[in-house]
């Protein structure tokens, strides 16, 4: 590794061990340069600011399976994890996309296809190896440095570089997947889904998405997708009958491998990558999907051709975890909601942009908290809205103990 670095010249460093990560952390501290940690995959910081050190963990991508304990390198991606675990008849509740990094998703919470069956990604975390701001390599769990371990489960990358995640995996002999294409009134489908999920078995998690034409992995239009966390197609068919019976809904039920339902992000050809359009909107964790919220979401999607609406059911195992046991907010939430419009030249002018902002502000008023993993810009003023007051105070104490100089600040930064 380099002995020094010019802060004005960006430097990409790709360590091959936790010890090399520690060297880079000490280098950044000694030289007083910004440090951006990229934990594999894609996300708001995956391209990093063009200054200081960009620490890429992609080489730390090992996946070791020992019974149901899985040790995963901080640079691994969820598609590889699903493939490896599938060969052992195991799985973890992870993100929806194969290229999403284990590190970023887990540290922010991790709402995935198995959230009602098994909870968040952090709810399966049983230990971690962390390089601290002091360049020390420490192990943490509920028994060792328990406050640090608590903070890692939802507090983001504020406390160190996680070079290894230890999870308790779940046996998964198979799943059932249902795609319900919605050609009728989406409000009717959303109300039916809400009523169904209030008492549905926790094996069921559903996602609703209504998007404009974007890419083959996300077909245009509205659809409600469902995963049943067991190889029981007849059970899923029976449970979904209130939705599949609605006029304008076409239902197809299949039994893919878990890895096959993780989306593939389109890869741009050549070295030139077009700058993605901006996104105007936001997300929230909501106590209930009431009729007013449903109508607002449907109206939002209809009003803006370049908009997207995305929902995922919560509850079940997600709600079993006591609020104080992790840093993640709003365990009483039953739905995650995201809505916004792509800021595409020629489709969105200043008037439309102002209207989208106002409409999202109205949607935002009823949320319990914002989910940091779906907030793709650094907004320090918004960080308190990502945690409850007690958790934020506790996170600030952990930050003061482990990173008092705020080396790890390229994130949703928790200030002491």
């Amino acid at each position: 590794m380099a002995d020094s670095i010019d802060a004005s010249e960006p430097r990409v460093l790709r360590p091959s061990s936790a010890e090399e990560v520690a060297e880079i952390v000490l280098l950044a501290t000694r030289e007083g340069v910004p440090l951006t940690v990229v934990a594999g995959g894609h996300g708001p910081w995956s391209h990093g600011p063009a200054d200081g050190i960009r620490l890429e963990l992609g080489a730390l991508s090992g996946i070791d399976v020992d019974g149901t304990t899985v040790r995963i390198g901080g640079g691994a991606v969820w598609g590889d994890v699903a493939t490896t675990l599938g060969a052992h008849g195991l799985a973890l509740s992870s993100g929806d996309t194969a290229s999403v990094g284990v590190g970023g998703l887990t540290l922010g919470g991790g709402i995935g296809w198995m959230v009602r069956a098994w909870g968040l990604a952090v709810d399966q975390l049983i230990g971690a190896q962390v390089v601290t701001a002091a360049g020390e390599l420490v192990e943490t769990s509920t028994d060792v440095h328990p406050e640090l371990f608590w903070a890692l489960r939802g507090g983001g990358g504020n406390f160190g570089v996680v070079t290894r995640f230890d999870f308790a995996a779940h046996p998964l002999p198979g799943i059932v997947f249902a795609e319900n294409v919605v050609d009728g009134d989406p409000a009717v489908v959303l109300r039916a889904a809400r009523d169904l999920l209030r008492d549905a078995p926790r094996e069921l998690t559903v996602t609703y998405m209504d998007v404009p034409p974007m890419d083959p992995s996300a077909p245009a239009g509205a659809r409600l997708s469902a995963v049943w966390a067991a190889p029981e197609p007849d059970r899923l068919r029976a449970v979904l009958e209130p939705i599949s019976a609605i006029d304008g809904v076409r239902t197809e039920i299949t039994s893919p491998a878990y890895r096959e339902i993780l989306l593939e992000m389109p890869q741009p050809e050549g070295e030139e990558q077009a700058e993605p359009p901006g996104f105007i909107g936001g997300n929230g964790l909501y106590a209930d999907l009431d009729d007013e919220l449903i109508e607002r979401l449907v109206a939002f999607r209809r009003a803006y051709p370049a908009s997207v609406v995305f929902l995922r059911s919560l509850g079940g195992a997600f709600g079993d975890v006591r609020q104080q046991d992790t840093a993640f907010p709003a365990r009483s939430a039953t739905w995650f909601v995201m809505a916004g419009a792509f800021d595409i030249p020629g489709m969105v002018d200043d008037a439309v942009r102002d209207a989208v902002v106002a409409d999202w502000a109205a949607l935002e008023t009823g949320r319990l908290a914002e989910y940091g993993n779906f907030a793709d810009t650094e907004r320090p003023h918004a960080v308190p809205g990502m945690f409850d007051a007690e958790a934020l105070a506790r996170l600030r104490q952990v930050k003061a103990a482990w990173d008092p100089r705020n080396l790890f600040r390229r994130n949703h930064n928790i200030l002491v």
Side-chain angles (χ1 to χ4, degrees):
M1 296 297 162
D3 294 326
S4 64
I5 191 166
D6 183 349
S8 64
E9 292 293 329
R11 179 76 179 272
V12 177
L13 299 178
R14 300 183 175 93
S16 58
S17 68
E19 289 74 18
E20 289 187 356
V21 172
E23 291 179 25
I24 295 170
V25 168
L26 289 174
L27 173 62
T29 300
R30 184 170 64 249
E31 299 296 322
V33 299
L35 177 66
T36 301
V37 180
V38 182
H42 66 266
W45 290 279
S46 62
H47 299 289
D51 61 346
I53 296 174
R54 172 182 162 91
L55 195 169
E56 295 187 353
L57 296 175
L60 305 181
S61 57
I63 304 167
D64 178 63
V65 182
D66 181 8
T68 57
T69 299
V70 186
R71 296 177 178 86
I72 304 174
V77 296
W78 283 113
D80 292 341
V81 172
T83 297
T84 300
L85 293 186
H88 294 268
L90 301 171
L92 288 166
S93 187
S94 63
D96 301 343
T97 307
S99 60
V100 163
V102 170
L105 181 122
T106 300
L107 294 175
I111 299 174
W113 276 119
M114 300 294 182
V115 66
R116 298 190 73 255
W118 302 332
L120 298 167
V122 290
D123 298 336
Q124 305 156 107
L125 192 67
I126 56 175
Q129 181 187 69
V130 185
V131 173
T132 70
E136 298 174 343
L137 192 61
V138 303
E139 298 285 337
T140 181
S141 66
T142 54
D143 298 320
V144 182
H145 302 304
E147 281 298 286
L148 174 61
F149 185 62
W150 172 85
L152 294 178
R153 290 176 289 167
N158 276 277
F159 312 100
V161 183
V162 180
T163 51
R164 193 196 72 240
F165 294 85
D166 302 338
F167 293 98
H170 306 267
L172 186 68
I175 67 167
V176 189
F177 184 77
E179 194 79 280
N180 302 277
V181 178
V182 180
D183 292 327
D185 185 350
V188 174
V189 174
L190 285 173
R191 287 194 295 268
R194 172 202 60 199
D195 295 344
L196 171 64
L197 267 296
R198 283 174 174 161
D199 298 308
R202 60 184 54 202
E203 288 88 352
L204 177 69
T205 296
V206 307
T207 291
Y208 173 86
M209 184 165 11
D210 190 353
V211 298
M214 292 191 296
D215 65 75
S217 69
R223 59 189 60 224
L224 186 137
S225 304
V227 168
W228 185 265
E232 302 167 335
D234 291 341
R235 289 283 309 278
L236 179 57
R237 186 175 289 105
V239 168
L240 289 180
E241 199 278 333
I243 292 172
S244 58
I246 296 172
D247 287 343
V249 173
R250 293 180 286 112
T251 301
E252 180 182 0
I253 294 179
T254 58
S255 297
Y258 179 55
R259 168 63 178 83
E260 293 173 11
I261 68 171
L262 301 185
L263 297 176
E264 301 287 350
M265 291 292 288
Q267 299 297 319
E269 296 182 2
E271 297 183 359
E272 293 296 324
Q273 298 187 19
E275 188 72 21
F279 187 76
I280 313 162
N283 77 80
L285 299 159
Y286 289 78
D288 189 30
L289 190 63
D290 60 34
D291 288 349
E292 181 181 358
L293 179 56
I294 288 172
E295 294 298 334
R296 284 182 179 274
L297 290 168
V298 171
F300 183 95
R301 178 69 185 94
R302 288 174 176 163
Y304 308 108
S307 65
V308 58
V309 168
F310 176 91
L311 299 91
R312 170 149 296 155
S313 60
L314 302 174
F318 168 85
D320 289 345
V321 179
R322 297 185 306 167
Q323 186 62 60
Q324 65 267 32
D325 286 350
T326 69
F328 194 86
R331 289 289 182 162
S332 61
T334 62
W335 287 88
F336 167 73
V337 174
M338 185 271 287
F342 297 102
D343 196 352
I344 300 173
M347 296 185 70
V348 177
D349 58 18
D350 288 345
V352 172
R353 191 175 296 108
D354 291 345
V356 172
V357 169
D359 283 350
W360 170 251
L363 286 164
E364 184 182 272
T365 56
R367 71 183 181 184
L368 300 175
E370 182 176 9
Y371 177 36
N373 277 359
F374 268 64
D376 63 355
T377 56
E378 295 180 60
R379 293 175 293 122
H381 67 279
V383 170
M386 298 176 185
F387 306 97
D388 65 46
E390 182 179 343
L392 183 59
R394 190 173 170 185
L395 287 167
R396 285 171 172 156
Q397 292 176 347
V398 179
K399 181 74 170 179
W402 290 93
D403 185 20
R405 296 184 179 179
N406 201 19
L407 174 67
F408 303 112
R409 59 184 180 272
R410 288 273 167 79
N411 46 45
H412 297 307
N413 198 213
I414 294 167
L415 299 175
V416 177

